[in-house]
Amino acid sequence: MKISKGIFGLAAAVFTVAAFRIFICFSPYPKLNAFRNLPKSTRVYDCNGELIQILSLENGLRREFVSLEKISPEVREIFIRAEDRKFYRHFGIDVLSICRAAFQNIENGRIISGSSTITMQLARMMRKSENRNIFAKFTEAVDALRLEARLSKDEILELYLNHLPFGFNTEGVASAARFFFGKEISLLSQAELCCLAVIPRKPSLYNPFVNPEKCAEAAVRIAGLPYDELKIAAMRAKKFMYPENMPHYVRYLTSSGSCECYSAEQINVSVSLALQRKAENLIAAAVAKSKQFRITNGAVLVCENSSGKILAWVGSANFNDDFHGGQNDGVLAENQPGSSMKPFLYAMALENGFTPASILPDIPMEFGSEQLYIPLNFNNRYNGPVRLRTALASSLNVPAVYLLNQLGLGKYISVLDDLHFFSLKNSNPGLGLALGSAEVSLFELVQAFSVFPRDGIFLPLVSEENKVDDKKNVFQRDTARLICSILSDNDARYLGFGDNKAFKIPFSAIFKTGTANQFQNITALGATPLYTVGVWMGNFDGATVIGKTGSSLPASVVRDLLITLQKNESAEFKLPVLYSKKKICLVSGMPAGDNCPDTKLEFLPNNETAENCSWHTKSGVVYPQRFERWFYQKELIGTVKNDNMPLQIITPRNGSIFFYDSSLPDSVQSLTVEVTGGKSDELHVSVDDGKSSFVVNRHFSFKIPLQPGSHKITVSCADEQCELSFLCRK
């Protein structure tokens, strides 16, 4: 009976031990996985290895992670000596130390000696329990056994060294070395390491900033070094000021998921801090110079064309300027870009039958029906027939709207979608999109503009290397090269900008600027074959600037950055392959004839066989009929050709509403009517079904008295007739 009871007891003991072994090895331990996946304070370095930031975690905590293989044996040895000399010889619990500590604590009636091994301390970190009673100790011991059963000693030590709390929102030896001594952990001396190792015991007491003597006294017990040497090391401690470089860019990295922030030890991004500082200084100086115009902010974005890598990112003139919204990011903020959008429209035109020599009408024009749209140039002037090259380089508005109306809004939006203008998805800008009336970001503008020096290939802007799969041909190679030819042509730009120094640069570069209608946003884009730069200036609160400042302010910043970037590198824009330069007439854009007084070489398709200029004859210049209205307003020398255009009332539009001002005499209230087309030089006019009728000779422009009521005008020319109705209200 006694034997059977002994066997039963032995079996029960074996079963208990086995069950406990199974428990510590295989029981769920979610705290371990959660602990191992805690976010890290990733170190962010620029392309030259200069530290940008060390990412802070909740409440400003810094927890840098360094793999054990990068932690020197000396560091490991000192911290093991400080906390758990038998670390590699026990199985998570040091029984002898527990017994010794219990005896000392009972003998003295208070806790004077601890018994926690490194593994037990790690278990306590995982539970984050403030209790230090017997039950808590027992729980730590069990968890320590679970850790030892699941992890190797080196894995335990790695987790411990990287999560050890040092107070002052600092965890881990890497962050502690930086915080207390301003160095990488590998650069600390033995004395500094010993001082660092004792701080976790009582961070407030052993803080070397305020108690270097206490810190040195504690370190003597583990160092084997003289007190004076340790005190000198402790006195060298100086609180590290964490760099806060590129705050907008770092915020973009952490929020966009473009890099492994909070999971990687460190990331090396493509930006250059040297270039960043140059950009920050330039935009701050430009904003300071423009205070008289009520411009309070600006942003800069720079990329490398070949890779799409971001090289500089300035979100505002001063991140710490709360009054002017300095923490807003002007690179990502959506604003009206104005004429900065035009190159994409003109590139689409080049792929739909237009050439740089194509003539576009820069004349008074009205678009739409119910919602009338009448575009104006920035100087309220019209230039008549202009070549596409001049219209784009000089940023004329009317030709751009004409092109969009001809090519189709839907088709253009599709092109912009290919260029990743995703901010336009929910907008309904109408023909105003030709002039940049819809809001987009500087990020989108720079990303899209860089397709031109890249031969029409789109690459998304990134912080690291682009993958080949990300490439997309948005424009044909020659289209992109023609746009580069146009936007780098200072002669073609003269009509709109004059001899502007902001565009003068000692190497090949393209520029495009834009100003929103109410001058609250001014944008400039520039590129060489190697780099693209974008600058926005304005106000985050939407306030308009004072006066028409023009775009030379941001353009000057673009120019200076391109000069900084280019340095001594030489690169030219490539010439189109399927085009060759031919002599054209500057007025008609057609191949020059014998009677053309002014000619110029222009890129025309190799396979195009157009007839010579038909505008210039021996007797003078003859303009097409669609320029009739402009011709007579300008009182030019020459004639207008009757092209048998359909008879059309240009202005006013059918269904227009006017208002009668009773405070003014009837003699000064009249309505101007303009008509084009017709096969005859005589126009017969009937007002209100014959109440008034008369004949007008070409050019067909006349006035009628404006009276309250509904009215109808009927005009006829040869066998054509058209009419319009309008309303005049009191």
mmCIF file of all heavy atoms in Angstrom, residues 260-303:
data_model
loop_
_atom_site.group_PDB
_atom_site.id
_atom_site.type_symbol
_atom_site.label_atom_id
_atom_site.label_comp_id
_atom_site.label_asym_id
_atom_site.label_seq_id
_atom_site.Cartn_x
_atom_site.Cartn_y
_atom_site.Cartn_z
ATOM 1 N N GLU A 260 9.221 52.456 -43.702
ATOM 2 C CA GLU A 260 8.931 51.580 -42.567
ATOM 3 C C GLU A 260 9.169 52.310 -41.249
ATOM 4 O O GLU A 260 9.935 51.868 -40.391
ATOM 5 C CB GLU A 260 9.797 50.328 -42.647
ATOM 6 C CG GLU A 260 9.490 49.466 -43.871
ATOM 7 C CD GLU A 260 10.370 48.237 -43.921
ATOM 8 O OE1 GLU A 260 11.254 48.101 -43.059
ATOM 9 O OE2 GLU A 260 10.174 47.410 -44.829
ATOM 10 N N CYS A 261 8.505 53.437 -41.092
ATOM 11 C CA CYS A 261 8.653 54.193 -39.854
ATOM 12 C C CYS A 261 8.037 53.421 -38.691
ATOM 13 O O CYS A 261 7.019 52.756 -38.847
ATOM 14 C CB CYS A 261 7.977 55.552 -39.995
ATOM 15 S SG CYS A 261 8.711 56.588 -41.283
ATOM 16 N N TYR A 262 8.665 53.521 -37.521
ATOM 17 C CA TYR A 262 8.229 52.880 -36.277
ATOM 18 C C TYR A 262 8.388 51.359 -36.303
ATOM 19 O O TYR A 262 7.881 50.678 -35.426
ATOM 20 C CB TYR A 262 6.772 53.240 -35.949
ATOM 21 C CG TYR A 262 6.529 54.713 -35.834
ATOM 22 C CD1 TYR A 262 5.677 55.367 -36.708
ATOM 23 C CD2 TYR A 262 7.164 55.463 -34.840
ATOM 24 C CE1 TYR A 262 5.460 56.736 -36.606
ATOM 25 C CE2 TYR A 262 6.949 56.827 -34.730
ATOM 26 C CZ TYR A 262 6.096 57.452 -35.621
ATOM 27 O OH TYR A 262 5.882 58.808 -35.519
ATOM 28 N N SER A 263 9.067 50.821 -37.327
ATOM 29 C CA SER A 263 9.323 49.382 -37.321
ATOM 30 C C SER A 263 10.781 49.080 -37.651
ATOM 31 O O SER A 263 11.307 48.064 -37.223
ATOM 32 C CB SER A 263 8.409 48.661 -38.322
ATOM 33 O OG SER A 263 8.635 49.121 -39.627
ATOM 34 N N ALA A 264 11.441 49.963 -38.388
ATOM 35 C CA ALA A 264 12.837 49.743 -38.758
ATOM 36 C C ALA A 264 13.762 50.451 -37.775
ATOM 37 O O ALA A 264 13.393 51.453 -37.154
ATOM 38 C CB ALA A 264 13.090 50.262 -40.166
ATOM 39 N N GLU A 265 14.974 49.908 -37.607
ATOM 40 C CA GLU A 265 15.969 50.566 -36.759
ATOM 41 C C GLU A 265 16.273 51.955 -37.297
ATOM 42 O O GLU A 265 16.317 52.933 -36.564
ATOM 43 C CB GLU A 265 17.265 49.752 -36.716
ATOM 44 C CG GLU A 265 17.175 48.460 -35.928
ATOM 45 C CD GLU A 265 18.520 47.772 -35.845
ATOM 46 O OE1 GLU A 265 19.556 48.472 -35.915
ATOM 47 O OE2 GLU A 265 18.550 46.539 -35.714
ATOM 48 N N GLN A 266 16.498 52.030 -38.596
ATOM 49 C CA GLN A 266 16.764 53.311 -39.226
ATOM 50 C C GLN A 266 16.374 53.235 -40.690
ATOM 51 O O GLN A 266 16.303 52.150 -41.279
ATOM 52 C CB GLN A 266 18.231 53.715 -39.098
ATOM 53 C CG GLN A 266 19.199 52.859 -39.924
ATOM 54 C CD GLN A 266 20.637 53.338 -39.787
ATOM 55 O OE1 GLN A 266 21.159 53.471 -38.681
ATOM 56 N NE2 GLN A 266 21.280 53.618 -40.909
ATOM 57 N N ILE A 267 16.078 54.388 -41.267
ATOM 58 C CA ILE A 267 15.806 54.466 -42.694
ATOM 59 C C ILE A 267 16.655 55.580 -43.275
ATOM 60 O O ILE A 267 16.876 56.612 -42.651
ATOM 61 C CB ILE A 267 14.310 54.715 -42.995
ATOM 62 C CG1 ILE A 267 13.801 55.963 -42.267
ATOM 63 C CG2 ILE A 267 13.470 53.514 -42.647
ATOM 64 C CD1 ILE A 267 12.381 56.328 -42.620
ATOM 65 N N ASN A 268 17.165 55.342 -44.451
ATOM 66 C CA ASN A 268 17.939 56.339 -45.185
ATOM 67 C C ASN A 268 17.088 56.807 -46.359
ATOM 68 O O ASN A 268 16.783 56.024 -47.255
ATOM 69 C CB ASN A 268 19.257 55.752 -45.665
ATOM 70 C CG ASN A 268 20.171 55.404 -44.507
ATOM 71 O OD1 ASN A 268 19.990 54.384 -43.845
ATOM 72 N ND2 ASN A 268 21.146 56.246 -44.242
ATOM 73 N N VAL A 269 16.691 58.062 -46.326
ATOM 74 C CA VAL A 269 15.803 58.591 -47.358
ATOM 75 C C VAL A 269 16.599 59.409 -48.362
ATOM 76 O O VAL A 269 17.790 59.674 -48.188
ATOM 77 C CB VAL A 269 14.671 59.429 -46.735
ATOM 78 C CG1 VAL A 269 13.716 58.534 -45.968
ATOM 79 C CG2 VAL A 269 15.223 60.514 -45.831
ATOM 80 N N SER A 270 15.924 59.824 -49.415
ATOM 81 C CA SER A 270 16.603 60.432 -50.554
ATOM 82 C C SER A 270 16.893 61.910 -50.389
ATOM 83 O O SER A 270 17.644 62.487 -51.166
ATOM 84 C CB SER A 270 15.745 60.236 -51.813
ATOM 85 O OG SER A 270 14.446 60.769 -51.616
ATOM 86 N N VAL A 271 16.297 62.552 -49.383
ATOM 87 C CA VAL A 271 16.460 63.994 -49.254
ATOM 88 C C VAL A 271 17.883 64.358 -48.847
ATOM 89 O O VAL A 271 18.618 63.540 -48.287
ATOM 90 C CB VAL A 271 15.472 64.581 -48.223
ATOM 91 C CG1 VAL A 271 14.038 64.373 -48.649
ATOM 92 C CG2 VAL A 271 15.711 63.978 -46.845
ATOM 93 N N SER A 272 18.245 65.602 -49.144
ATOM 94 C CA SER A 272 19.548 66.134 -48.760
ATOM 95 C C SER A 272 19.336 67.280 -47.788
ATOM 96 O O SER A 272 18.697 68.280 -48.129
ATOM 97 C CB SER A 272 20.305 66.634 -49.999
ATOM 98 O OG SER A 272 21.376 67.477 -49.629
ATOM 99 N N LEU A 273 19.855 67.150 -46.568
ATOM 100 C CA LEU A 273 19.676 68.209 -45.572
ATOM 101 C C LEU A 273 20.367 69.500 -45.998
ATOM 102 O O LEU A 273 19.880 70.598 -45.699
ATOM 103 C CB LEU A 273 20.219 67.752 -44.216
ATOM 104 C CG LEU A 273 19.205 67.078 -43.292
ATOM 105 C CD1 LEU A 273 19.860 66.670 -41.980
ATOM 106 C CD2 LEU A 273 18.025 67.990 -43.010
ATOM 107 N N ALA A 274 21.480 69.392 -46.708
ATOM 108 C CA ALA A 274 22.166 70.602 -47.177
ATOM 109 C C ALA A 274 21.273 71.366 -48.148
ATOM 110 O O ALA A 274 21.123 72.591 -48.048
ATOM 111 C CB ALA A 274 23.490 70.233 -47.843
ATOM 112 N N LEU A 275 20.673 70.644 -49.085
ATOM 113 C CA LEU A 275 19.751 71.284 -50.029
ATOM 114 C C LEU A 275 18.506 71.786 -49.305
ATOM 115 O O LEU A 275 17.980 72.861 -49.619
ATOM 116 C CB LEU A 275 19.361 70.287 -51.126
ATOM 117 C CG LEU A 275 18.405 70.822 -52.186
ATOM 118 C CD1 LEU A 275 19.071 71.918 -53.012
ATOM 119 C CD2 LEU A 275 17.932 69.686 -53.101
ATOM 120 N N GLN A 276 18.030 71.019 -48.330
ATOM 121 C CA GLN A 276 16.859 71.411 -47.548
ATOM 122 C C GLN A 276 17.088 72.762 -46.871
ATOM 123 O O GLN A 276 16.227 73.650 -46.903
ATOM 124 C CB GLN A 276 16.555 70.341 -46.504
ATOM 125 C CG GLN A 276 15.462 70.692 -45.525
ATOM 126 C CD GLN A 276 14.072 70.590 -46.109
ATOM 127 O OE1 GLN A 276 13.899 70.035 -47.188
ATOM 128 N NE2 GLN A 276 13.094 71.123 -45.417
ATOM 129 N N ARG A 277 18.249 72.926 -46.252
ATOM 130 C CA ARG A 277 18.538 74.185 -45.555
ATOM 131 C C ARG A 277 18.613 75.346 -46.540
ATOM 132 O O ARG A 277 18.166 76.462 -46.238
ATOM 133 C CB ARG A 277 19.844 74.042 -44.768
ATOM 134 C CG ARG A 277 19.738 73.033 -43.618
ATOM 135 C CD ARG A 277 21.013 72.949 -42.810
ATOM 136 N NE ARG A 277 20.901 71.951 -41.754
ATOM 137 C CZ ARG A 277 21.559 70.802 -41.720
ATOM 138 N NH1 ARG A 277 22.406 70.500 -42.703
ATOM 139 N NH2 ARG A 277 21.387 69.947 -40.730
ATOM 140 N N LYS A 278 19.169 75.086 -47.716
ATOM 141 C CA LYS A 278 19.212 76.115 -48.749
ATOM 142 C C LYS A 278 17.795 76.518 -49.148
ATOM 143 O O LYS A 278 17.485 77.713 -49.255
ATOM 144 C CB LYS A 278 19.968 75.579 -49.967
ATOM 145 C CG LYS A 278 19.981 76.499 -51.173
ATOM 146 C CD LYS A 278 20.946 77.645 -50.994
ATOM 147 C CE LYS A 278 21.094 78.449 -52.260
ATOM 148 N NZ LYS A 278 22.055 79.560 -52.128
ATOM 149 N N ALA A 279 16.925 75.539 -49.360
ATOM 150 C CA ALA A 279 15.544 75.818 -49.750
ATOM 151 C C ALA A 279 14.807 76.564 -48.645
ATOM 152 O O ALA A 279 14.035 77.504 -48.915
ATOM 153 C CB ALA A 279 14.825 74.513 -50.093
ATOM 154 N N GLU A 280 15.019 76.162 -47.398
ATOM 155 C CA GLU A 280 14.365 76.840 -46.269
ATOM 156 C C GLU A 280 14.775 78.304 -46.198
ATOM 157 O O GLU A 280 13.934 79.191 -45.986
ATOM 158 C CB GLU A 280 14.718 76.124 -44.962
ATOM 159 C CG GLU A 280 14.067 74.761 -44.805
ATOM 160 C CD GLU A 280 14.561 73.998 -43.590
ATOM 161 O OE1 GLU A 280 15.563 74.434 -42.985
ATOM 162 O OE2 GLU A 280 13.954 72.973 -43.246
ATOM 163 N N ASN A 281 16.064 78.562 -46.383
ATOM 164 C CA ASN A 281 16.554 79.941 -46.327
ATOM 165 C C ASN A 281 15.994 80.776 -47.473
ATOM 166 O O ASN A 281 15.625 81.946 -47.282
ATOM 167 C CB ASN A 281 18.086 79.960 -46.359
ATOM 168 C CG ASN A 281 18.702 79.388 -45.091
ATOM 169 O OD1 ASN A 281 18.068 79.381 -44.040
ATOM 170 N ND2 ASN A 281 19.921 78.896 -45.187
ATOM 171 N N LEU A 282 15.934 80.185 -48.659
ATOM 172 C CA LEU A 282 15.437 80.922 -49.822
ATOM 173 C C LEU A 282 13.963 81.277 -49.681
ATOM 174 O O LEU A 282 13.555 82.409 -49.969
ATOM 175 C CB LEU A 282 15.657 80.102 -51.095
ATOM 176 C CG LEU A 282 17.093 80.030 -51.622
ATOM 177 C CD1 LEU A 282 17.187 79.030 -52.771
ATOM 178 C CD2 LEU A 282 17.566 81.406 -52.081
ATOM 179 N N ILE A 283 13.146 80.321 -49.235
ATOM 180 C CA ILE A 283 11.709 80.605 -49.148
ATOM 181 C C ILE A 283 11.438 81.571 -47.993
ATOM 182 O O ILE A 283 10.556 82.450 -48.092
ATOM 183 C CB ILE A 283 10.886 79.308 -49.002
ATOM 184 C CG1 ILE A 283 9.416 79.569 -49.360
ATOM 185 C CG2 ILE A 283 11.010 78.712 -47.634
ATOM 186 C CD1 ILE A 283 9.176 79.950 -50.777
ATOM 187 N N ALA A 284 12.191 81.457 -46.899
ATOM 188 C CA ALA A 284 12.015 82.397 -45.782
ATOM 189 C C ALA A 284 12.386 83.814 -46.218
ATOM 190 O O ALA A 284 11.688 84.781 -45.871
ATOM 191 C CB ALA A 284 12.866 81.967 -44.587
ATOM 192 N N ALA A 285 13.466 83.939 -46.991
ATOM 193 C CA ALA A 285 13.883 85.257 -47.470
ATOM 194 C C ALA A 285 12.866 85.826 -48.449
ATOM 195 O O ALA A 285 12.552 87.024 -48.421
ATOM 196 C CB ALA A 285 15.261 85.161 -48.132
ATOM 197 N N ALA A 286 12.326 84.969 -49.323
ATOM 198 C CA ALA A 286 11.336 85.429 -50.299
ATOM 199 C C ALA A 286 10.065 85.905 -49.602
ATOM 200 O O ALA A 286 9.477 86.923 -49.984
ATOM 201 C CB ALA A 286 11.014 84.308 -51.284
ATOM 202 N N VAL A 287 9.634 85.183 -48.575
ATOM 203 C CA VAL A 287 8.436 85.589 -47.828
ATOM 204 C C VAL A 287 8.697 86.894 -47.080
ATOM 205 O O VAL A 287 7.835 87.787 -47.050
ATOM 206 C CB VAL A 287 8.008 84.476 -46.849
ATOM 207 C CG1 VAL A 287 6.944 84.976 -45.882
ATOM 208 C CG2 VAL A 287 7.493 83.267 -47.626
ATOM 209 N N ALA A 288 9.884 87.035 -46.502
ATOM 210 C CA ALA A 288 10.219 88.268 -45.785
ATOM 211 C C ALA A 288 10.205 89.472 -46.732
ATOM 212 O O ALA A 288 9.736 90.557 -46.365
ATOM 213 C CB ALA A 288 11.585 88.131 -45.118
ATOM 214 N N LYS A 289 10.694 89.280 -47.946
ATOM 215 C CA LYS A 289 10.713 90.374 -48.926
ATOM 216 C C LYS A 289 9.315 90.758 -49.386
ATOM 217 O O LYS A 289 9.097 91.873 -49.849
ATOM 218 C CB LYS A 289 11.548 89.964 -50.140
ATOM 219 C CG LYS A 289 13.045 89.914 -49.893
ATOM 220 C CD LYS A 289 13.777 89.492 -51.160
ATOM 221 C CE LYS A 289 15.267 89.379 -50.933
ATOM 222 N NZ LYS A 289 15.977 88.896 -52.159
ATOM 223 N N SER A 290 8.385 89.828 -49.303
ATOM 224 C CA SER A 290 7.058 90.053 -49.881
ATOM 225 C C SER A 290 6.000 90.401 -48.836
ATOM 226 O O SER A 290 4.808 90.344 -49.128
ATOM 227 C CB SER A 290 6.620 88.807 -50.652
ATOM 228 O OG SER A 290 6.592 87.674 -49.808
ATOM 229 N N LYS A 291 6.424 90.757 -47.618
ATOM 230 C CA LYS A 291 5.445 91.099 -46.588
ATOM 231 C C LYS A 291 4.580 92.285 -46.991
ATOM 232 O O LYS A 291 3.424 92.382 -46.590
ATOM 233 C CB LYS A 291 6.162 91.389 -45.268
ATOM 234 C CG LYS A 291 6.605 90.123 -44.532
ATOM 235 C CD LYS A 291 7.163 90.452 -43.160
ATOM 236 C CE LYS A 291 7.530 89.172 -42.408
ATOM 237 N NZ LYS A 291 8.097 89.459 -41.069
ATOM 238 N N GLN A 292 5.135 93.195 -47.791
ATOM 239 C CA GLN A 292 4.355 94.350 -48.235
ATOM 240 C C GLN A 292 3.169 93.937 -49.097
ATOM 241 O O GLN A 292 2.194 94.673 -49.224
ATOM 242 C CB GLN A 292 5.253 95.301 -49.035
ATOM 243 C CG GLN A 292 5.901 94.638 -50.245
ATOM 244 C CD GLN A 292 6.776 95.596 -51.021
ATOM 245 O OE1 GLN A 292 6.394 96.736 -51.241
ATOM 246 N NE2 GLN A 292 7.958 95.137 -51.422
ATOM 247 N N PHE A 293 3.260 92.741 -49.683
ATOM 248 C CA PHE A 293 2.161 92.244 -50.506
ATOM 249 C C PHE A 293 1.221 91.335 -49.712
ATOM 250 O O PHE A 293 0.311 90.736 -50.273
ATOM 251 C CB PHE A 293 2.707 91.466 -51.709
ATOM 252 C CG PHE A 293 3.635 92.264 -52.574
ATOM 253 C CD1 PHE A 293 4.966 91.901 -52.707
ATOM 254 C CD2 PHE A 293 3.183 93.381 -53.247
ATOM 255 C CE1 PHE A 293 5.827 92.628 -53.505
ATOM 256 C CE2 PHE A 293 4.039 94.113 -54.052
ATOM 257 C CZ PHE A 293 5.369 93.743 -54.182
ATOM 258 N N ARG A 294 1.474 91.211 -48.401
ATOM 259 C CA ARG A 294 0.666 90.366 -47.518
ATOM 260 C C ARG A 294 0.817 88.879 -47.867
ATOM 261 O O ARG A 294 -0.107 88.100 -47.744
ATOM 262 C CB ARG A 294 -0.801 90.784 -47.536
ATOM 263 C CG ARG A 294 -1.575 90.310 -46.305
ATOM 264 C CD ARG A 294 -2.907 90.986 -46.172
ATOM 265 N NE ARG A 294 -3.772 90.705 -47.309
ATOM 266 C CZ ARG A 294 -4.903 91.343 -47.565
ATOM 267 N NH1 ARG A 294 -5.293 92.325 -46.787
ATOM 268 N NH2 ARG A 294 -5.631 91.025 -48.607
ATOM 269 N N ILE A 295 2.002 88.496 -48.281
ATOM 270 C CA ILE A 295 2.317 87.075 -48.463
ATOM 271 C C ILE A 295 3.009 86.599 -47.195
ATOM 272 O O ILE A 295 4.028 87.153 -46.790
ATOM 273 C CB ILE A 295 3.226 86.856 -49.685
ATOM 274 C CG1 ILE A 295 2.467 87.179 -50.972
ATOM 275 C CG2 ILE A 295 3.746 85.426 -49.729
ATOM 276 C CD1 ILE A 295 3.314 87.080 -52.211
ATOM 277 N N THR A 296 2.472 85.583 -46.571
ATOM 278 C CA THR A 296 2.989 85.159 -45.268
ATOM 279 C C THR A 296 3.615 83.773 -45.270
ATOM 280 O O THR A 296 4.172 83.352 -44.267
ATOM 281 C CB THR A 296 1.867 85.169 -44.219
ATOM 282 O OG1 THR A 296 0.836 84.245 -44.619
ATOM 283 C CG2 THR A 296 1.256 86.558 -44.082
ATOM 284 N N ASN A 297 3.524 83.054 -46.384
ATOM 285 C CA ASN A 297 4.029 81.683 -46.353
ATOM 286 C C ASN A 297 4.477 81.199 -47.719
ATOM 287 O O ASN A 297 4.218 81.831 -48.745
ATOM 288 C CB ASN A 297 2.977 80.727 -45.789
ATOM 289 C CG ASN A 297 3.455 80.110 -44.484
ATOM 290 O OD1 ASN A 297 4.538 79.523 -44.445
ATOM 291 N ND2 ASN A 297 2.684 80.257 -43.423
ATOM 292 N N GLY A 298 5.136 80.057 -47.710
ATOM 293 C CA GLY A 298 5.618 79.465 -48.949
ATOM 294 C C GLY A 298 6.021 78.025 -48.726
ATOM 295 O O GLY A 298 6.165 77.568 -47.582
ATOM 296 N N ALA A 299 6.197 77.297 -49.815
ATOM 297 C CA ALA A 299 6.577 75.884 -49.741
ATOM 298 C C ALA A 299 7.461 75.549 -50.939
ATOM 299 O O ALA A 299 7.373 76.192 -51.985
ATOM 300 C CB ALA A 299 5.336 74.996 -49.724
ATOM 301 N N VAL A 300 8.299 74.527 -50.757
ATOM 302 C CA VAL A 300 9.234 74.105 -51.806
ATOM 303 C C VAL A 300 9.253 72.585 -51.879
ATOM 304 O O VAL A 300 9.235 71.906 -50.847
ATOM 305 C CB VAL A 300 10.672 74.610 -51.524
ATOM 306 C CG1 VAL A 300 11.627 74.161 -52.634
ATOM 307 C CG2 VAL A 300 10.704 76.115 -51.367
ATOM 308 N N LEU A 301 9.301 72.063 -53.101
ATOM 309 C CA LEU A 301 9.479 70.625 -53.309
ATOM 310 C C LEU A 301 10.473 70.426 -54.443
ATOM 311 O O LEU A 301 10.362 71.061 -55.492
ATOM 312 C CB LEU A 301 8.149 69.953 -53.647
ATOM 313 C CG LEU A 301 8.188 68.434 -53.839
ATOM 314 C CD1 LEU A 301 8.605 67.735 -52.540
ATOM 315 C CD2 LEU A 301 6.831 67.906 -54.293
ATOM 316 N N VAL A 302 11.457 69.545 -54.225
ATOM 317 C CA VAL A 302 12.502 69.281 -55.211
ATOM 318 C C VAL A 302 12.600 67.782 -55.425
ATOM 319 O O VAL A 302 12.534 67.000 -54.474
ATOM 320 C CB VAL A 302 13.875 69.815 -54.733
ATOM 321 C CG1 VAL A 302 14.932 69.600 -55.808
ATOM 322 C CG2 VAL A 302 13.782 71.285 -54.358
ATOM 323 N N CYS A 303 12.753 67.376 -56.692
ATOM 324 C CA CYS A 303 12.933 65.945 -56.970
ATOM 325 C C CYS A 303 14.002 65.723 -58.021
ATOM 326 O O CYS A 303 14.351 66.624 -58.790
ATOM 327 C CB CYS A 303 11.612 65.299 -57.411
ATOM 328 S SG CYS A 303 11.147 65.626 -59.118
#
